[in-house]
Amino acid sequence: MKNNSNFEFGTIVGLILGVLSIFGSFLLEGGTLGALILIPAMLIVFGGTIATAMIGSPAKIFFKIPSFIKLALIPPKFNIVETIETIVNYAIIARKDGILALEKEVNNISHPFFEKDVAPCNRWD
């Protein structure tokens, strides 16, 4: 499986474009930059957002946020052709030998998509 990661420029460009749109439209309407950047207001908004995220999710998930950000910026690349071939092979096995025949294949799974959706039965062994 090919798992090369490349930096996702679309995420950064979208983020920059969003921020520039907010600041640009505010300035075009006659506002001043100093009126938009207020430290106490930013502390309330960002601190409240972080606190709400902590309250609404378990600590082990909350502390994974940096890795989620990294995943958004540098998504893993997978071999799509290989993934499709794997799905087709599983379909052939299920059609020929029945759906329960796929249980033999669970230990051979190496793709994260299949590990998440197919292999949970092995997590409690």
Side-chain angles (χ1 to χ4, degrees):
M1 171 188 340
K2 186 178 183 182
N3 193 2
N4 295 335
S5 297
N6 294 326
F7 190 75
E8 186 60 46
F9 287 104
T11 303
I12 291 295
V13 170
L15 183 62
I16 291 170
L17 184 61
V19 170
L20 289 177
S21 297
I22 291 169
F23 283 101
S25 63
F26 184 75
L27 293 173
L28 287 174
E29 286 292 320
T32 62
L33 196 58
L36 190 58
I37 301 176
L38 299 170
I39 299 301
M42 292 173 82
L43 184 62
I44 290 170
V45 171
F46 292 115
T49 301
I50 292 169
T52 302
M54 291 179 81
I55 292 168
S57 61
K60 67 179 184 177
I61 300 296
F62 177 78
F63 290 114
K64 287 184 179 180
I65 289 176
S67 64
F68 296 150
I69 293 170
K70 179 183 174 191
L71 187 62
L73 295 174
I74 308 171
K77 303 293 181 194
F78 298 105
N79 186 336
I80 295 171
V81 173
E82 182 181 317
T83 304
I84 292 170
E85 288 173 358
T86 302
I87 293 170
V88 169
N89 288 334
Y90 289 158
I92 290 170
I93 292 169
R95 188 178 60 204
K96 280 183 175 179
D97 302 324
I99 195 80
L100 294 178
L102 292 175
E103 287 182 352
K104 292 183 282 186
E105 300 295 323
V106 169
N107 294 328
N108 300 331
I109 294 174
S110 61
H111 194 285
F113 175 77
F114 297 118
E115 288 175 354
K116 177 183 175 199
D117 294 329
V118 178
C121 59
N122 283 350
R123 291 184 186 158
W124 293 282
D125 287 349

